[in-house]
PDB file of all heavy atoms in Angstrom:
ATOM      1  N   GLU A 209     -12.561   2.138 -11.084  1.00 97.00           N
ATOM      2  CA  GLU A 209     -12.099   1.106 -12.019  1.00 97.00           C
ATOM      3  C   GLU A 209     -10.926   1.609 -12.859  1.00 97.00           C
ATOM      4  O   GLU A 209      -9.949   0.872 -13.083  1.00 97.00           O
ATOM      5  CB  GLU A 209     -13.242   0.674 -12.935  1.00 97.00           C
ATOM      6  CG  GLU A 209     -14.307  -0.155 -12.223  1.00 97.00           C
ATOM      7  CD  GLU A 209     -15.479  -0.494 -13.122  1.00 97.00           C
ATOM      8  OE1 GLU A 209     -15.493  -0.020 -14.290  1.00 97.00           O
ATOM      9  OE2 GLU A 209     -16.387  -1.217 -12.664  1.00 97.00           O
ATOM     10  N   ARG A 210     -11.002   2.857 -13.309  1.00 97.00           N
ATOM     11  CA  ARG A 210      -9.902   3.419 -14.101  1.00 97.00           C
ATOM     12  C   ARG A 210      -8.636   3.562 -13.257  1.00 97.00           C
ATOM     13  O   ARG A 210      -7.528   3.306 -13.728  1.00 97.00           O
ATOM     14  CB  ARG A 210     -10.317   4.775 -14.678  1.00 97.00           C
ATOM     15  CG  ARG A 210     -11.491   4.720 -15.651  1.00 97.00           C
ATOM     16  CD  ARG A 210     -11.118   4.084 -16.969  1.00 97.00           C
ATOM     17  NE  ARG A 210     -12.257   3.947 -17.860  1.00 97.00           N
ATOM     18  CZ  ARG A 210     -12.679   4.906 -18.694  1.00 97.00           C
ATOM     19  NH1 ARG A 210     -12.035   6.070 -18.734  1.00 97.00           N
ATOM     20  NH2 ARG A 210     -13.720   4.700 -19.474  1.00 97.00           N
ATOM     21  N   LEU A 211      -8.817   3.997 -12.012  1.00 97.00           N
ATOM     22  CA  LEU A 211      -7.675   4.117 -11.104  1.00 97.00           C
ATOM     23  C   LEU A 211      -7.031   2.748 -10.886  1.00 97.00           C
ATOM     24  O   LEU A 211      -5.799   2.594 -10.959  1.00 97.00           O
ATOM     25  CB  LEU A 211      -8.140   4.699  -9.768  1.00 97.00           C
ATOM     26  CG  LEU A 211      -7.085   4.837  -8.672  1.00 97.00           C
ATOM     27  CD1 LEU A 211      -6.020   5.853  -9.063  1.00 97.00           C
ATOM     28  CD2 LEU A 211      -7.748   5.233  -7.350  1.00 97.00           C
ATOM     29  N   ASP A 212      -7.842   1.748 -10.626  1.00 98.00           N
ATOM     30  CA  ASP A 212      -7.371   0.383 -10.406  1.00 98.00           C
ATOM     31  C   ASP A 212      -6.574  -0.111 -11.619  1.00 98.00           C
ATOM     32  O   ASP A 212      -5.465  -0.659 -11.477  1.00 98.00           O
ATOM     33  CB  ASP A 212      -8.583  -0.514 -10.149  1.00 98.00           C
ATOM     34  CG  ASP A 212      -8.220  -1.905  -9.670  1.00 98.00           C
ATOM     35  OD1 ASP A 212      -7.093  -2.097  -9.184  1.00 98.00           O
ATOM     36  OD2 ASP A 212      -9.088  -2.800  -9.767  1.00 98.00           O
ATOM     37  N   ALA A 213      -7.119   0.086 -12.808  1.00 98.00           N
ATOM     38  CA  ALA A 213      -6.449  -0.385 -14.023  1.00 98.00           C
ATOM     39  C   ALA A 213      -5.126   0.336 -14.262  1.00 98.00           C
ATOM     40  O   ALA A 213      -4.122  -0.285 -14.644  1.00 98.00           O
ATOM     41  CB  ALA A 213      -7.378  -0.192 -15.225  1.00 98.00           C
ATOM     42  N   ALA A 214      -5.107   1.653 -14.043  1.00 97.00           N
ATOM     43  CA  ALA A 214      -3.882   2.427 -14.273  1.00 97.00           C
ATOM     44  C   ALA A 214      -2.776   2.012 -13.305  1.00 97.00           C
ATOM     45  O   ALA A 214      -1.609   1.857 -13.689  1.00 97.00           O
ATOM     46  CB  ALA A 214      -4.172   3.920 -14.136  1.00 97.00           C
ATOM     47  N   VAL A 215      -3.138   1.800 -12.043  1.00 97.00           N
ATOM     48  CA  VAL A 215      -2.145   1.374 -11.054  1.00 97.00           C
ATOM     49  C   VAL A 215      -1.660  -0.033 -11.378  1.00 97.00           C
ATOM     50  O   VAL A 215      -0.479  -0.355 -11.233  1.00 97.00           O
ATOM     51  CB  VAL A 215      -2.742   1.467  -9.634  1.00 97.00           C
ATOM     52  CG1 VAL A 215      -1.786   0.879  -8.616  1.00 97.00           C
ATOM     53  CG2 VAL A 215      -3.053   2.917  -9.284  1.00 97.00           C
ATOM     54  N   GLY A 216      -2.566  -0.889 -11.854  1.00 97.00           N
ATOM     55  CA  GLY A 216      -2.169  -2.232 -12.254  1.00 97.00           C
ATOM     56  C   GLY A 216      -1.187  -2.221 -13.412  1.00 97.00           C
ATOM     57  O   GLY A 216      -0.245  -3.031 -13.453  1.00 97.00           O
ATOM     58  N   LEU A 217      -1.378  -1.312 -14.358  1.00 96.00           N
ATOM     59  CA  LEU A 217      -0.447  -1.199 -15.483  1.00 96.00           C
ATOM     60  C   LEU A 217       0.940  -0.799 -15.002  1.00 96.00           C
ATOM     61  O   LEU A 217       1.954  -1.363 -15.441  1.00 96.00           O
ATOM     62  CB  LEU A 217      -0.979  -0.174 -16.491  1.00 96.00           C
ATOM     63  CG  LEU A 217      -0.105   0.102 -17.716  1.00 96.00           C
ATOM     64  CD1 LEU A 217       0.101  -1.175 -18.532  1.00 96.00           C
ATOM     65  CD2 LEU A 217      -0.724   1.188 -18.584  1.00 96.00           C
ATOM     66  N   ALA A 218       1.002   0.162 -14.080  1.00 94.00           N
ATOM     67  CA  ALA A 218       2.299   0.563 -13.520  1.00 94.00           C
ATOM     68  C   ALA A 218       2.949  -0.608 -12.788  1.00 94.00           C
ATOM     69  O   ALA A 218       4.173  -0.827 -12.881  1.00 94.00           O
ATOM     70  CB  ALA A 218       2.116   1.747 -12.576  1.00 94.00           C
ATOM     71  N   GLY A 219       2.146  -1.388 -12.052  1.00 95.00           N
ATOM     72  CA  GLY A 219       2.676  -2.544 -11.358  1.00 95.00           C
ATOM     73  C   GLY A 219       3.238  -3.577 -12.312  1.00 95.00           C
ATOM     74  O   GLY A 219       4.294  -4.180 -12.051  1.00 95.00           O
ATOM     75  N   ARG A 220       2.555  -3.787 -13.428  1.00 95.00           N
ATOM     76  CA  ARG A 220       3.052  -4.727 -14.431  1.00 95.00           C
ATOM     77  C   ARG A 220       4.420  -4.305 -14.950  1.00 95.00           C
ATOM     78  O   ARG A 220       5.311  -5.139 -15.130  1.00 95.00           O
ATOM     79  CB  ARG A 220       2.035  -4.824 -15.580  1.00 95.00           C
ATOM     80  CG  ARG A 220       2.441  -5.725 -16.733  1.00 95.00           C
ATOM     81  CD  ARG A 220       2.402  -7.180 -16.378  1.00 95.00           C
ATOM     82  NE  ARG A 220       1.051  -7.631 -16.060  1.00 95.00           N
ATOM     83  CZ  ARG A 220       0.755  -8.884 -15.735  1.00 95.00           C
ATOM     84  NH1 ARG A 220       1.709  -9.779 -15.654  1.00 95.00           N
ATOM     85  NH2 ARG A 220      -0.473  -9.227 -15.450  1.00 95.00           N
ATOM     86  N   MET A 221       4.593  -3.019 -15.177  1.00 93.00           N
ATOM     87  CA  MET A 221       5.891  -2.533 -15.664  1.00 93.00           C
ATOM     88  C   MET A 221       6.974  -2.676 -14.599  1.00 93.00           C
ATOM     89  O   MET A 221       8.110  -3.040 -14.901  1.00 93.00           O
ATOM     90  CB  MET A 221       5.745  -1.083 -16.129  1.00 93.00           C
ATOM     91  CG  MET A 221       4.936  -0.943 -17.405  1.00 93.00           C
ATOM     92  SD  MET A 221       4.918   0.725 -18.108  1.00 93.00           S
ATOM     93  CE  MET A 221       3.897   1.567 -16.907  1.00 93.00           C
ATOM     94  N   LEU A 222       6.637  -2.398 -13.346  1.00 92.00           N
ATOM     95  CA  LEU A 222       7.609  -2.554 -12.269  1.00 92.00           C
ATOM     96  C   LEU A 222       8.078  -4.000 -12.130  1.00 92.00           C
ATOM     97  O   LEU A 222       9.204  -4.249 -11.682  1.00 92.00           O
ATOM     98  CB  LEU A 222       7.014  -2.080 -10.946  1.00 92.00           C
ATOM     99  CG  LEU A 222       6.908  -0.572 -10.742  1.00 92.00           C
ATOM    100  CD1 LEU A 222       6.062  -0.261  -9.508  1.00 92.00           C
ATOM    101  CD2 LEU A 222       8.292   0.052 -10.586  1.00 92.00           C
ATOM    102  N   LEU A 223       7.237  -4.948 -12.537  1.00 95.00           N
ATOM    103  CA  LEU A 223       7.566  -6.365 -12.393  1.00 95.00           C
ATOM    104  C   LEU A 223       8.113  -6.979 -13.679  1.00 95.00           C
ATOM    105  O   LEU A 223       8.112  -8.206 -13.816  1.00 95.00           O
ATOM    106  CB  LEU A 223       6.323  -7.124 -11.920  1.00 95.00           C
ATOM    107  CG  LEU A 223       5.877  -6.819 -10.489  1.00 95.00           C
ATOM    108  CD1 LEU A 223       4.520  -7.444 -10.188  1.00 95.00           C
ATOM    109  CD2 LEU A 223       6.913  -7.291  -9.486  1.00 95.00           C
ATOM    110  N   THR A 224       8.588  -6.149 -14.589  1.00 92.00           N
ATOM    111  CA  THR A 224       9.209  -6.668 -15.811  1.00 92.00           C
ATOM    112  C   THR A 224      10.341  -7.612 -15.441  1.00 92.00           C
ATOM    113  O   THR A 224      11.285  -7.212 -14.755  1.00 92.00           O
ATOM    114  CB  THR A 224       9.764  -5.517 -16.658  1.00 92.00           C
ATOM    115  OG1 THR A 224       8.688  -4.641 -17.019  1.00 92.00           O
ATOM    116  CG2 THR A 224      10.434  -6.048 -17.926  1.00 92.00           C
ATOM    117  N   PRO A 225      10.294  -8.887 -15.857  1.00 91.00           N
ATOM    118  CA  PRO A 225      11.398  -9.821 -15.521  1.00 91.00           C
ATOM    119  C   PRO A 225      12.714  -9.351 -16.121  1.00 91.00           C
ATOM    120  O   PRO A 225      12.769  -8.946 -17.288  1.00 91.00           O
ATOM    121  CB  PRO A 225      10.935 -11.147 -16.143  1.00 91.00           C
ATOM    122  CG  PRO A 225       9.436 -11.022 -16.242  1.00 91.00           C
ATOM    123  CD  PRO A 225       9.185  -9.571 -16.550  1.00 91.00           C
ATOM    124  N   LEU A 226      13.749  -9.394 -15.335  1.00 84.00           N
ATOM    125  CA  LEU A 226      15.051  -8.917 -15.777  1.00 84.00           C
ATOM    126  C   LEU A 226      16.038 -10.049 -16.017  1.00 84.00           C
ATOM    127  O   LEU A 226      17.166  -9.816 -16.463  1.00 84.00           O
ATOM    128  CB  LEU A 226      15.616  -7.955 -14.732  1.00 84.00           C
ATOM    129  CG  LEU A 226      14.773  -6.716 -14.457  1.00 84.00           C
ATOM    130  CD1 LEU A 226      15.394  -5.876 -13.369  1.00 84.00           C
ATOM    131  CD2 LEU A 226      14.555  -5.912 -15.717  1.00 84.00           C
ATOM    132  N   SER A 227      15.606 -11.282 -15.723  1.00 71.00           N
ATOM    133  CA  SER A 227      16.424 -12.456 -16.012  1.00 71.00           C
ATOM    134  C   SER A 227      15.524 -13.654 -15.928  1.00 71.00           C
ATOM    135  O   SER A 227      14.354 -13.548 -15.559  1.00 71.00           O
ATOM    136  CB  SER A 227      17.572 -12.595 -15.003  1.00 71.00           C
ATOM    137  OG  SER A 227      17.074 -12.823 -13.702  1.00 71.00           O
ATOM    138  N   GLY A 228      16.082 -14.835 -16.207  1.00 57.00           N
ATOM    139  CA  GLY A 228      15.310 -16.068 -16.095  1.00 57.00           C
ATOM    140  C   GLY A 228      14.275 -16.199 -17.160  1.00 57.00           C
ATOM    141  O   GLY A 228      13.303 -16.901 -16.993  1.00 57.00           O
TER     142      GLY A 228
END
Side-chain angles (χ1 to χ4, degrees):
E209 288 176 356
R210 297 289 176 86
L211 177 66
D212 190 19
V215 173
L217 178 60
R220 178 71 64 179
M221 290 188 289
L222 284 169
L223 291 171
T224 300
L226 300 177
S227 64

